[in-house]
Amino acid sequence: MKRFFWILVLSYVQVVLSVAQPVTRILFIFDSSYSMQARWESGSRMDVAKRLLGELIDSLAQVKEARVEIALRLYGHSKGYPPQDCNDTRLVVPFGPDNHQRIKRVVQSLKPMGTTPIAIALERSVEDFPPCELCRNLIVLITDGIEECGGDPCQVSEQLQAKGIVIKPFVIGIGLDEMQRRAMECVGRYYDAGREEDFRRVLGLVISQALERTTFQLNLLDADQYPRESDVAFTVMDQKSSKIHYRMMHTLNSLGMPDTLSGDPLVTYRVVVHSIPQVELRDVQLSSAKHNILALPLQRGKLKVKTAKVIGYNDLKVVLRSEEGAILNLQDINTEARILVGKYRLEVLTHPPYFTDIDIKAGEVTTVEVPVAGMLSFQTVASGYASVVDEKGQRILDLDEQATRHLIPLQPGRYSIVYRPKAARDLFFSVTRDFEIISGATTVVKLN
């Protein structure tokens, strides 16, 4: 009957995991401290925990389709209390295939002895997970008490998660009081086992959750709230550690629907769509009981910036800025870009820069035509220092001080050029010439 219970708990997981999945590595951190001698219904806490954990390990061994490996770390298992030994923790069975019976034998041989160094046990668990490209690392902490060695299990757990070493741990508390429960809830997903039957149920629940996988799709909604937007890069990452799970180009299949991706119900995701500007979903928690649909508004129009002639410009760039001035995108002149609906400031890096405000509307093309540049042809007998200033007194650019011939594209308008030969050491050798630039024409300024 007991074996049937565990198999029933895990049976549907086998179906989900029948396709290729990452290896799920579950590290059991087991409390063997002195307090586990306390009486608990049909026996001591240790006796009940050993029996039920043994049943679970037997059932895990039967889940052949799942790519699951388990390991066992103990604390409080080798040094008596008192005195207190806060280094009394060790990985006794490392990860590996078919080690279930070995773990079970170790568990069955345990005798409650020492103290409760939870923080140190968690900290040292870093070394228990060998490097692996395609692994989900989980910890199941089973304890009947709280930290007794002055460490901070909550802080250590946060560090493990932030570094991407483990997903948020599971914590099973055996007979903890209210204050102790509150102290352990920050360590991970806390489950209370106040009674023997609770412990059996919680063990099954934790392992079924640990092995669950699910699916999701990312719907990018257009102005009509239909998932018709696509062809944009996106990233799906662990929000806690920033570990990337997917980075790909969004695609609609032959039925016009986004492709389905495999997801992890234990991970809190952050989804970033690399549109212009970027948009994102935070705190994404997938449900294991259904196919998940993530919807993100992505109403876009097109921006086309063009000029009839690109005279004298090499790789002329167009800068898209937010209304607050932040740079959102660079594009080349005479190209299109898909932009989220909204109001923006456009800057074309001509001389002088061309500015305009734009309003992108869904499904429409916003076209900006930049006036055709004219050319300044500036010639001198000797090299010197020269600057172009507009009629408002703003500096436009400085010319190459080594050259005597200059061919510079400028936007239509009136300008002045200020020049002084290098060899001249007197301010009064400066020369100023006013000139006008006309679209598509060349204005010649000579200083002989």
Side-chain angles (χ1 to χ4, degrees), residues 406-419:
H406 306 270
L407 193 62
I408 308 296
L410 291 170
Q411 288 293 289
R414 302 192 65 83
Y415 302 90
S416 298
I417 191 163
V418 183
Y419 165 79

PDB file of all heavy atoms in Angstrom, residues 406-419:
ATOM      1  N   HIS A 406      39.373  70.710 -48.314  1.00  0.00           N
ATOM      2  CA  HIS A 406      38.329  70.087 -47.513  1.00  0.00           C
ATOM      3  C   HIS A 406      37.051  69.979 -48.346  1.00  0.00           C
ATOM      4  O   HIS A 406      36.685  70.932 -49.048  1.00  0.00           O
ATOM      5  CB  HIS A 406      38.032  70.913 -46.260  1.00  0.00           C
ATOM      6  CG  HIS A 406      39.242  71.214 -45.434  1.00  0.00           C
ATOM      7  ND1 HIS A 406      39.694  70.412 -44.426  1.00  0.00           N
ATOM      8  CD2 HIS A 406      40.116  72.274 -45.499  1.00  0.00           C
ATOM      9  CE1 HIS A 406      40.772  70.946 -43.886  1.00  0.00           C
ATOM     10  NE2 HIS A 406      41.053  72.077 -44.526  1.00  0.00           N
ATOM     11  N   LEU A 407      36.394  68.843 -48.275  1.00  0.00           N
ATOM     12  CA  LEU A 407      35.112  68.649 -48.933  1.00  0.00           C
ATOM     13  C   LEU A 407      34.152  68.107 -47.863  1.00  0.00           C
ATOM     14  O   LEU A 407      34.259  66.941 -47.459  1.00  0.00           O
ATOM     15  CB  LEU A 407      35.231  67.673 -50.105  1.00  0.00           C
ATOM     16  CG  LEU A 407      34.042  67.615 -51.070  1.00  0.00           C
ATOM     17  CD1 LEU A 407      33.836  68.976 -51.743  1.00  0.00           C
ATOM     18  CD2 LEU A 407      34.250  66.534 -52.126  1.00  0.00           C
ATOM     19  N   ILE A 408      33.244  68.956 -47.389  1.00  0.00           N
ATOM     20  CA  ILE A 408      32.432  68.657 -46.208  1.00  0.00           C
ATOM     21  C   ILE A 408      30.946  68.730 -46.560  1.00  0.00           C
ATOM     22  O   ILE A 408      30.474  69.751 -47.075  1.00  0.00           O
ATOM     23  CB  ILE A 408      32.715  69.664 -45.076  1.00  0.00           C
ATOM     24  CG1 ILE A 408      34.209  69.764 -44.791  1.00  0.00           C
ATOM     25  CG2 ILE A 408      31.934  69.273 -43.807  1.00  0.00           C
ATOM     26  CD1 ILE A 408      34.825  68.493 -44.280  1.00  0.00           C
ATOM     27  N   PRO A 409      30.165  67.660 -46.271  1.00  0.00           N
ATOM     28  CA  PRO A 409      28.712  67.750 -46.457  1.00  0.00           C
ATOM     29  C   PRO A 409      28.084  68.532 -45.315  1.00  0.00           C
ATOM     30  O   PRO A 409      28.394  68.314 -44.143  1.00  0.00           O
ATOM     31  CB  PRO A 409      28.270  66.284 -46.437  1.00  0.00           C
ATOM     32  CG  PRO A 409      29.296  65.588 -45.599  1.00  0.00           C
ATOM     33  CD  PRO A 409      30.584  66.315 -45.823  1.00  0.00           C
ATOM     34  N   LEU A 410      27.179  69.440 -45.668  1.00  0.00           N
ATOM     35  CA  LEU A 410      26.468  70.239 -44.671  1.00  0.00           C
ATOM     36  C   LEU A 410      24.996  70.331 -45.046  1.00  0.00           C
ATOM     37  O   LEU A 410      24.639  70.298 -46.236  1.00  0.00           O
ATOM     38  CB  LEU A 410      27.055  71.653 -44.592  1.00  0.00           C
ATOM     39  CG  LEU A 410      28.463  71.807 -44.006  1.00  0.00           C
ATOM     40  CD1 LEU A 410      28.959  73.243 -44.231  1.00  0.00           C
ATOM     41  CD2 LEU A 410      28.476  71.464 -42.525  1.00  0.00           C
ATOM     42  N   GLN A 411      24.150  70.458 -44.044  1.00  0.00           N
ATOM     43  CA  GLN A 411      22.740  70.677 -44.282  1.00  0.00           C
ATOM     44  C   GLN A 411      22.512  72.096 -44.823  1.00  0.00           C
ATOM     45  O   GLN A 411      23.293  73.021 -44.543  1.00  0.00           O
ATOM     46  CB  GLN A 411      21.947  70.483 -42.986  1.00  0.00           C
ATOM     47  CG  GLN A 411      21.838  69.022 -42.556  1.00  0.00           C
ATOM     48  CD  GLN A 411      20.999  68.218 -43.530  1.00  0.00           C
ATOM     49  OE1 GLN A 411      19.786  68.375 -43.603  1.00  0.00           O
ATOM     50  NE2 GLN A 411      21.656  67.359 -44.307  1.00  0.00           N
ATOM     51  N   PRO A 412      21.458  72.276 -45.603  1.00  0.00           N
ATOM     52  CA  PRO A 412      21.199  73.602 -46.167  1.00  0.00           C
ATOM     53  C   PRO A 412      21.115  74.660 -45.063  1.00  0.00           C
ATOM     54  O   PRO A 412      20.562  74.415 -43.992  1.00  0.00           O
ATOM     55  CB  PRO A 412      19.851  73.432 -46.873  1.00  0.00           C
ATOM     56  CG  PRO A 412      19.761  71.966 -47.162  1.00  0.00           C
ATOM     57  CD  PRO A 412      20.454  71.289 -46.024  1.00  0.00           C
ATOM     58  N   GLY A 413      21.694  75.851 -45.343  1.00  0.00           N
ATOM     59  CA  GLY A 413      21.657  76.937 -44.367  1.00  0.00           C
ATOM     60  C   GLY A 413      22.831  77.868 -44.542  1.00  0.00           C
ATOM     61  O   GLY A 413      23.662  77.706 -45.440  1.00  0.00           O
ATOM     62  N   ARG A 414      22.914  78.875 -43.657  1.00  0.00           N
ATOM     63  CA  ARG A 414      23.977  79.875 -43.721  1.00  0.00           C
ATOM     64  C   ARG A 414      24.990  79.603 -42.609  1.00  0.00           C
ATOM     65  O   ARG A 414      24.641  79.318 -41.465  1.00  0.00           O
ATOM     66  CB  ARG A 414      23.404  81.290 -43.590  1.00  0.00           C
ATOM     67  CG  ARG A 414      22.372  81.616 -44.673  1.00  0.00           C
ATOM     68  CD  ARG A 414      22.050  83.101 -44.687  1.00  0.00           C
ATOM     69  NE  ARG A 414      23.210  83.909 -45.070  1.00  0.00           N
ATOM     70  CZ  ARG A 414      23.607  84.150 -46.325  1.00  0.00           C
ATOM     71  NH1 ARG A 414      22.916  83.649 -47.337  1.00  0.00           N
ATOM     72  NH2 ARG A 414      24.665  84.885 -46.557  1.00  0.00           N
ATOM     73  N   TYR A 415      26.270  79.710 -42.966  1.00  0.00           N
ATOM     74  CA  TYR A 415      27.338  79.373 -42.047  1.00  0.00           C
ATOM     75  C   TYR A 415      28.477  80.375 -42.179  1.00  0.00           C
ATOM     76  O   TYR A 415      28.526  81.186 -43.111  1.00  0.00           O
ATOM     77  CB  TYR A 415      27.905  77.974 -42.344  1.00  0.00           C
ATOM     78  CG  TYR A 415      26.881  76.868 -42.285  1.00  0.00           C
ATOM     79  CD1 TYR A 415      26.163  76.493 -43.433  1.00  0.00           C
ATOM     80  CD2 TYR A 415      26.628  76.188 -41.105  1.00  0.00           C
ATOM     81  CE1 TYR A 415      25.235  75.472 -43.397  1.00  0.00           C
ATOM     82  CE2 TYR A 415      25.693  75.156 -41.059  1.00  0.00           C
ATOM     83  CZ  TYR A 415      25.005  74.807 -42.208  1.00  0.00           C
ATOM     84  OH  TYR A 415      24.072  73.801 -42.162  1.00  0.00           O
ATOM     85  N   SER A 416      29.423  80.263 -41.246  1.00  0.00           N
ATOM     86  CA  SER A 416      30.689  80.988 -41.334  1.00  0.00           C
ATOM     87  C   SER A 416      31.811  79.994 -41.099  1.00  0.00           C
ATOM     88  O   SER A 416      31.647  79.014 -40.366  1.00  0.00           O
ATOM     89  CB  SER A 416      30.768  82.095 -40.268  1.00  0.00           C
ATOM     90  OG  SER A 416      29.748  83.044 -40.449  1.00  0.00           O
ATOM     91  N   ILE A 417      32.960  80.269 -41.748  1.00  0.00           N
ATOM     92  CA  ILE A 417      34.151  79.468 -41.478  1.00  0.00           C
ATOM     93  C   ILE A 417      35.209  80.403 -40.908  1.00  0.00           C
ATOM     94  O   ILE A 417      35.421  81.516 -41.415  1.00  0.00           O
ATOM     95  CB  ILE A 417      34.650  78.731 -42.735  1.00  0.00           C
ATOM     96  CG1 ILE A 417      35.721  77.718 -42.337  1.00  0.00           C
ATOM     97  CG2 ILE A 417      35.149  79.682 -43.801  1.00  0.00           C
ATOM     98  CD1 ILE A 417      35.987  76.665 -43.411  1.00  0.00           C
ATOM     99  N   VAL A 418      35.817  79.960 -39.806  1.00  0.00           N
ATOM    100  CA  VAL A 418      36.843  80.743 -39.126  1.00  0.00           C
ATOM    101  C   VAL A 418      38.157  79.986 -39.273  1.00  0.00           C
ATOM    102  O   VAL A 418      38.230  78.802 -38.914  1.00  0.00           O
ATOM    103  CB  VAL A 418      36.504  80.942 -37.631  1.00  0.00           C
ATOM    104  CG1 VAL A 418      37.550  81.825 -36.963  1.00  0.00           C
ATOM    105  CG2 VAL A 418      35.112  81.546 -37.477  1.00  0.00           C
ATOM    106  N   TYR A 419      39.196  80.702 -39.781  1.00  0.00           N
ATOM    107  CA  TYR A 419      40.443  80.017 -40.137  1.00  0.00           C
ATOM    108  C   TYR A 419      41.635  80.863 -39.710  1.00  0.00           C
ATOM    109  O   TYR A 419      41.604  82.095 -39.753  1.00  0.00           O
ATOM    110  CB  TYR A 419      40.492  79.795 -41.648  1.00  0.00           C
ATOM    111  CG  TYR A 419      41.853  79.421 -42.193  1.00  0.00           C
ATOM    112  CD1 TYR A 419      42.332  78.121 -42.085  1.00  0.00           C
ATOM    113  CD2 TYR A 419      42.650  80.378 -42.812  1.00  0.00           C
ATOM    114  CE1 TYR A 419      43.582  77.785 -42.585  1.00  0.00           C
ATOM    115  CE2 TYR A 419      43.907  80.046 -43.306  1.00  0.00           C
ATOM    116  CZ  TYR A 419      44.361  78.743 -43.190  1.00  0.00           C
ATOM    117  OH  TYR A 419      45.607  78.416 -43.681  1.00  0.00           O
TER     118      TYR A 419
END
